[in-house]
Amino acid sequence: MNSVEPNVIPFPTIRRFPAYLRLLKDLAGNGKEWISATTLAEDLKLKPIQVRKDMACTGVEGKPKVGFQVSELILAIEHYLGWDDTTYAALIGAGNLGSALIGYKGFVDNGLRIIAIFDKDRRKVGRQVGGIVISQLEDLAETVKELKIHIAILTVPAEAAQSVAEYAVASGIKGIWNFAPKSLNLPDGVVIQKTDLATSFAELSAKLKASE
Amino acid sequence: MNSVEPNVIPFPTIRRFPAYLRLLKDLAGNGKEWISATTLAEDLKLKPIQVRKDMACTGVEGKPKVGFQVSELILAIEHYLGWDDTTYAALIGAGNLGSALIGYKGFVDNGLRIIAIFDKDRRKVGRQVGGIVISQLEDLAETVKELKIHIAILTVPAEAAQSVAEYAVASGIKGIWNFAPKSLNLPDGVVIQKTDLATSFAELSAKLKASE
DNA sequence: TAGATTGTTAATCGATTAACAATC
DNA sequence: TAGATTGTTAATCGATTAACAATC
């Protein structure tokens, strides 16, 4: 790469990165050192040309007839996503979904560590979930500063989402992963990522309809 | 619409439908009868022109200067997604995430009802989650037929996902909502929808990186 | 009527896909 | 060498956005 460009990677490619990463780690675990775009494509049900384009975004160069070095790809993708560093997160909303996320083992692969839990409900404060004591929301700002927390994972009811998000931003949170089914309006510069079950189910519904 | 076309709606539009639907239901709850694309756009942080294009897909016609009838839009979107009918689902994998989904209240708005739970782990069989008794996986085919179950919600570990999915298909399942971090290879005609935490977090990671 | 808003047609943008030369 | 696979350049496709006439 000779260009001075900051190397912007298209979002569709970024969304495919985790699937590549998992497959590559599997391959590495099985002692495989090289992999071709053709094979990756087959396993992930993508077209080889698309995989080659995606791999080009990682900056890793392949060898004709051989493919790409597995370890090199893993490092490049992990580094691009920042998953080789730990991101500390606070979870807000210790309900069903929140507890499930606390218990989710997969986040270690993403360098994501939930190290604090908050809830508005005073009756929950003091209880533990997954070995972490639930704190009162009022302590958020202090904890964010103290533990160098960058992101908040929002698993509160829809009605509370906007106000809690504003409170989180005021407490120093830079990024919000919003699981509440509510679109958030926050100042520019705050990063928002929504994960919405209904959106995903809508896709499934449309596909089912189309397949009939 | 004079066309004979089956009216294919773009996926990006379908993914926006749930957010429209929620907002429209809020509006209806507040007694609002008409809404303009301009206002919808503002609330959802979209461009008015995009909202008008999306609304055109619903088949609902607006009135210049007035907007769209809220109730008409709600019915059209719900009907398109099939959310005005109940879809019966089986959940496979009664772990943390599975239990959270069982407890999730929002699915009623999507016409989704989880009416059976299965797990491979014999020790879990017989226990209850959210008032539903966990059955052994071997009973899946029978239950699918008996309760007219259309989709399976897969919340099993990655290693088990492919084999369990194959088993579900053999048991008569037509659509799979896959929460396991594993790409599934299934026969054509089976509808697959994945919801992957890592994919969503990768987006967040990239946005955070870009915002620095 | 004047003006806000819709709906349509065309332009733009970005991602996917195709074609093919380069290479080990 | 022959052939599989990469990487680049161009073509295609689909969604977003712009421009503007139609309308209540």
Side-chain angles (χ1 to χ4, degrees):
Chain A
M1 283 246 303
N2 299 335
S3 122
V4 195
E5 280 293 306
N7 190 20
V8 169
I9 300 185
F11 264 94
T13 298
I14 289 166
R15 279 192 286 267
R16 285 187 291 270
F17 273 172
Y20 289 128
L21 201 48
R22 272 193 296 255
L23 183 51
L24 290 165
K25 283 183 173 177
D26 269 7
L27 292 168
N30 293 330
K32 205 137 173 54
E33 281 182 47
W34 296 86
I35 190 74
S36 73
T38 322
T39 313
L40 283 174
E42 207 170 305
D43 286 350
L44 296 173
K45 293 192 289 178
L46 302 170
K47 311 227 160 127
I49 173 66
Q50 187 167 53
V51 175
R52 271 182 285 150
K53 280 279 182 193
D54 287 344
M55 293 308 107
C57 291
T58 66
V60 174
E61 282 186 22
K63 277 205 181 71
K65 218 187 154 177
V66 184
F68 300 82
Q69 202 178 352
V70 173
S71 61
E72 221 185 321
L73 283 178
I74 292 175
L75 289 176
I77 295 176
E78 277 190 335
H79 186 69
Y80 178 82
L81 293 173
W83 290 4
D84 50 356
D85 259 339
T86 306
T87 301
Y88 295 102
L91 186 129
I92 309 181
N96 261 318
L97 181 58
S99 304
L101 294 181
I102 294 290
Y104 183 59
K105 305 286 184 301
F107 287 146
V108 291
D109 288 324
N110 312 331
L112 179 61
R113 275 187 59 192
I114 302 172
I115 54 174
I117 311 179
F118 297 87
D119 204 292
K120 248 186 182 169
D121 185 348
R122 282 288 150 87
R123 289 166 303 178
K124 287 186 183 168
V125 173
R127 288 191 207 163
Q128 285 200 7
V129 182
I132 304 171
V133 178
I134 301 174
S135 304
Q136 55 181 11
L137 199 52
E138 288 77 5
D139 295 344
L140 182 58
E142 201 190 321
T143 309
V144 162
K145 191 177 276 183
E146 207 171 295
L147 301 183
K148 296 190 195 316
I149 289 174
H150 275 83
I151 72 170
I153 301 176
L154 223 64
T155 48
V156 300
E159 314 81 65
Q162 176 64 34
S163 69
V164 172
E166 285 170 14
Y167 188 77
V169 171
S171 302
I173 287 294
K174 299 288 176 244
I176 290 181
W177 194 0
N178 179 30
F179 285 83
K182 185 72 174 48
S183 140
L184 301 177
N185 277 295
L186 296 172
D188 287 355
V190 179
V191 171
I192 304 172
Q193 172 66 29
K194 82 166 188 178
T195 294
D196 185 356
L197 289 177
T199 300
S200 198
F201 187 65
E203 270 192 76
L204 177 56
S205 302
K207 287 184 201 166
L208 280 170
K209 186 188 183 129
S211 82
E212 272 160 14
Chain B
M1 286 247 302
N2 298 333
S3 121
V4 196
E5 280 293 306
N7 190 21
V8 169
I9 300 184
F11 264 94
T13 298
I14 288 165
R15 278 192 287 266
R16 285 187 291 270
F17 272 174
Y20 289 129
L21 201 48
R22 271 192 297 254
L23 183 52
L24 290 164
K25 283 182 173 177
D26 269 7
L27 293 168
N30 293 330
K32 205 135 173 57
E33 281 183 47
W34 296 86
I35 190 75
S36 73
T38 321
T39 313
L40 284 175
E42 207 169 307
D43 287 350
L44 297 173
K45 292 193 289 179
L46 302 170
K47 311 227 160 128
I49 173 67
Q50 187 169 52
V51 175
R52 272 183 282 150
K53 280 278 183 196
D54 287 344
M55 293 306 107
C57 292
T58 67
V60 173
E61 284 185 21
K63 278 205 181 72
K65 222 191 150 171
V66 183
F68 300 83
Q69 203 177 352
V70 173
S71 61
E72 222 185 320
L73 283 179
I74 292 174
L75 289 175
I77 295 175
E78 277 190 335
H79 185 69
Y80 178 81
L81 294 172
W83 291 3
D84 51 356
D85 259 340
T86 306
T87 302
Y88 296 102
L91 186 130
I92 310 181
N96 260 321
L97 180 59
S99 304
L101 295 180
I102 294 290
Y104 182 60
K105 305 286 185 299
F107 287 146
V108 292
D109 288 323
N110 313 331
L112 179 62
R113 276 186 58 193
I114 302 171
I115 55 174
I117 311 179
F118 297 87
D119 204 292
K120 250 186 179 168
D121 184 349
R122 280 291 149 85
R123 288 165 302 178
K124 287 186 183 168
V125 173
R127 287 190 207 163
Q128 286 199 9
V129 182
I132 304 172
V133 178
I134 301 174
S135 304
Q136 55 182 9
L137 199 52
E138 288 78 4
D139 294 345
L140 181 59
E142 202 189 321
T143 309
V144 164
K145 191 178 274 184
E146 208 172 293
L147 301 182
K148 298 191 193 315
I149 289 174
H150 276 82
I151 72 169
I153 301 175
L154 222 65
T155 47
V156 300
E159 316 81 64
Q162 177 65 33
S163 69
V164 171
E166 285 170 15
Y167 188 78
V169 171
S171 303
I173 287 293
K174 300 287 175 246
I176 290 180
W177 193 0
N178 180 30
F179 285 82
K182 183 75 175 44
S183 141
L184 300 176
N185 276 297
L186 296 172
D188 288 353
V190 178
V191 171
I192 304 172
Q193 172 66 28
K194 84 167 187 179
T195 294
D196 184 357
L197 288 179
T199 301
S200 199
F201 187 64
E203 271 192 74
L204 177 56
S205 302
K207 286 184 202 167
L208 280 170
K209 188 192 181 124
S211 81
E212 272 159 14

